[in-house]
Amino acid sequence: MPALDTEASSGPVDASPAGPASPVTDASPAIAVAAPAAPAAPAAPDASAAPDAASAEHSDATKLSPGDPGHGRMRLALFAAGLSTFALLYSTQALLPEISQALHAAPEQASWTVSGATVGLAVAVLPLAALSERFGRRRMLTASLAVAVALALVIPFAPSLPVLIALRTLQGAAVAGVPASAMAFLSDEVRARHLVGAVGLFVAGNSVGGMSGRILTGWVTEAWGWRAGLGAVAVTSLLCAVAFRLLVPPARHFTPAPLHPRRIAATVRAHLGNALLLRLYAIGLLFMVVFGAVYTVIGYRLVAEPFGLSQGLVGSVFAIYLVGTAASATAGRLNARLGRRGTLYLGIGTASTGLLISLADSVPAVVAGLVLITAGFFAGHAVASGSVSRTAAHGAAQASALYQMSYYVGSSLGGALGAVAFAAAGWAATVALALGAMVLAAGITLYASRRAAVPARA
């Protein structure tokens, strides 16, 4: 059974973006599509055969690079796509107190407007990734944006909470086409040496969209109500979707691949039988349980006494997401210095410390706690997601899609269970739930450390 860390045999794995196989890290990450290594004895064939080195080099030379017509348009188009979809995905999160009040819903009920969307994404991301191989990344991106924005324009008029949750779940499934296709699209069309910059701008769109969507809805809701807040995000996302369609250049290097459901299923089964990948999926899920629980519930805590913050100020709290950008960039350097396990322990410890600090009834303490929780989450997620891309000997796209599934299942569980805990016993119960998830993540990492130590002593 492989251990979580392979430093003893192959050196530390850098989790920072370093090429096509780099992780994409954000609270709402895109799928990292890595170039699969040649397996010695694959458990299942990959969906497509790798080209030989000469043809691959020639193909790369014809792709986009800075200065080429279309390169700047490609980068801006994917930035707009990332901003649009991830503003939509969590658009109700900052508004949960208002939605609860307006629709007479308990926190654990209203939280499903967030959890439903992430469940929809988790379920749809793997099938849509397979469909993008057949029908094209550009076409999948366009269709996903169109459906997600169309639903966004309808959602503000939802007459009841069940209808709102249903529409949000459908919207999450539509949004899944963007992370399922975006990274592969960039890898298809941009030269390898310039891919990191293009990926970075797409990730920035994820981060800016996820943060600005929450802040925008918060301030608009304070002035005109939660329906107007969701309408503002819908209009913003519509403009971004139009910009994407006008800017995105035609796909020049995509080759349709026939759908082979049995091969895909065999690859998925092989990944689910890989103990190392299962541990990485579990760690990503547990980190996201913490993040989903904290940011789903924090609005309820801050609008209540002793804080009594306005809806606009509650939305502004999500500017702390900027900490995640710095933490993701730092994770690679930490990984090189501390190793994979060491960085995971640091992320777990940092998030756990933040959870304990957040128990204080003080705005500065809560903000400081959220900063540490966010930094710890992003550090842990960066290591786990990057390790998945580098661990999969074949079927890297499917391996990354499975990570996304577990990640968003964690978000759904965290949001739903965190709200239940908060309704039952307040913020302390939500913190206890999150600390339990961090203890489990530490246990998985410790188990892997001991497994790695056995052959080292042999």
Side-chain angles (χ1 to χ4, degrees):
M1 181 181 297
L4 177 64
D5 197 310
T6 57
E7 299 161 334
S9 61
S10 60
V13 178
D14 187 355
S16 61
S22 306
V24 177
T25 54
D26 180 66
S28 308
I31 289 178
V33 177
D46 203 352
S48 58
D52 59 61
S55 62
E57 182 177 355
H58 173 74
S59 176
D60 186 69
T62 63
K63 295 182 181 180
L64 295 172
S65 59
D68 292 341
H71 181 265
R73 290 174 55 196
M74 172 73 79
R75 285 163 54 94
L76 289 175
L78 269 294
F79 175 85
L83 193 155
S84 175
T85 54
F86 290 108
L88 293 173
L89 184 62
Y90 289 99
S91 58
T92 62
Q93 193 171 56
L95 310 182
L96 292 178
E98 288 285 330
I99 292 173
S100 286
Q101 183 177 4
L103 299 180
H104 309 291
E108 63 269 28
Q109 296 170 324
S111 70
W112 277 100
T113 64
V114 180
S115 295
T118 52
V119 165
L121 192 152
V123 170
V125 67
L126 186 59
L128 292 185
L131 289 176
S132 74
E133 296 282 345
R134 174 65 180 87
F135 298 105
R137 334 289 193 189
R138 186 173 182 265
R139 184 177 296 176
M140 179 61 70
L141 286 163
T142 301
S144 293
L145 284 170
V147 174
V149 170
L151 288 168
L153 294 170
V154 174
I155 282 172
F157 303 100
S160 65
L161 184 64
V163 174
L164 178 60
I165 292 171
L167 290 173
R168 289 280 295 150
T169 303
L170 291 174
Q171 188 176 52
V175 162
V178 175
S181 307
M183 300 305 300
F185 187 40
L186 287 172
S187 182
D188 284 346
E189 303 299 329
V190 177
R191 293 196 68 177
R193 70 176 66 179
H194 305 297
L195 187 58
V196 172
V199 168
L201 195 59
F202 175 65
V203 174
N206 297 173
S207 302
V208 172
M211 179 186 70
S212 62
R214 294 163 170 98
I215 294 174
L216 175 64
T217 55
W219 285 106
V220 173
T221 294
E222 183 172 334
W224 295 292
W226 67 272
R227 295 183 187 275
L230 293 179
V233 171
V235 171
T236 302
S237 296
L238 173 61
L239 295 175
C240 289
V242 171
F244 167 82
R245 187 59 189 173
L246 293 176
L247 289 168
V248 66
R252 298 186 303 162
H253 294 83
F254 172 74
T255 301
L259 289 175
H260 294 292
R262 291 184 180 179
R263 291 186 181 181
I264 294 172
T267 301
V268 169
R269 286 196 300 271
H271 291 328
L272 293 177
N274 184 316
L276 172 53
L277 286 176
L278 284 179
R279 287 196 287 272
L280 293 171
Y281 296 154
I283 287 172
L285 183 151
L286 291 167
F287 267 105
M288 197 56 177
V289 164
V290 174
F291 204 71
V294 166
Y295 277 101
T296 296
V297 171
I298 192 63
Y300 288 104
R301 188 184 186 207
L302 293 178
V303 298
E305 296 300 331
F307 304 102
L309 299 186
S310 69
Q311 186 63 58
L313 289 175
V314 169
S316 297
V317 165
F318 290 91
I320 293 173
Y321 268 39
L322 292 174
V323 173
T325 302
S328 297
T330 305
R333 294 191 293 272
L334 289 173
N335 192 72
R337 181 176 300 177
L338 303 176
R340 195 187 313 181
R341 295 190 303 264
T343 306
L344 285 173
Y345 284 131
L346 180 62
I348 291 166
T350 301
S352 299
T353 301
L355 287 166
L356 294 173
I357 291 174
S358 73
L359 289 168
D361 289 334
S362 161
V363 171
V366 171
V367 170
L370 290 175
V371 167
L372 292 176
I373 293 166
T374 303
F377 162 75
F378 273 96
H381 166 56
V383 173
S385 63
S387 298
V388 167
S389 294
R390 296 167 187 267
T391 298
H394 68 283
Q398 287 83 9
S400 293
L402 287 170
Y403 179 83
Q404 298 302 309
M405 291 177 67
S406 63
Y407 178 90
Y408 284 108
V409 167
S411 176
S412 301
L413 287 173
L417 297 178
V420 169
F422 182 80
W427 180 252
T430 302
V431 168
L433 170 72
L435 285 173
M438 288 293 86
V439 169
L440 286 174
I444 292 171
T445 308
L446 179 61
Y447 171 79
S449 299
R450 291 182 174 178
R451 293 285 301 177
V454 172
R457 290 195 299 266

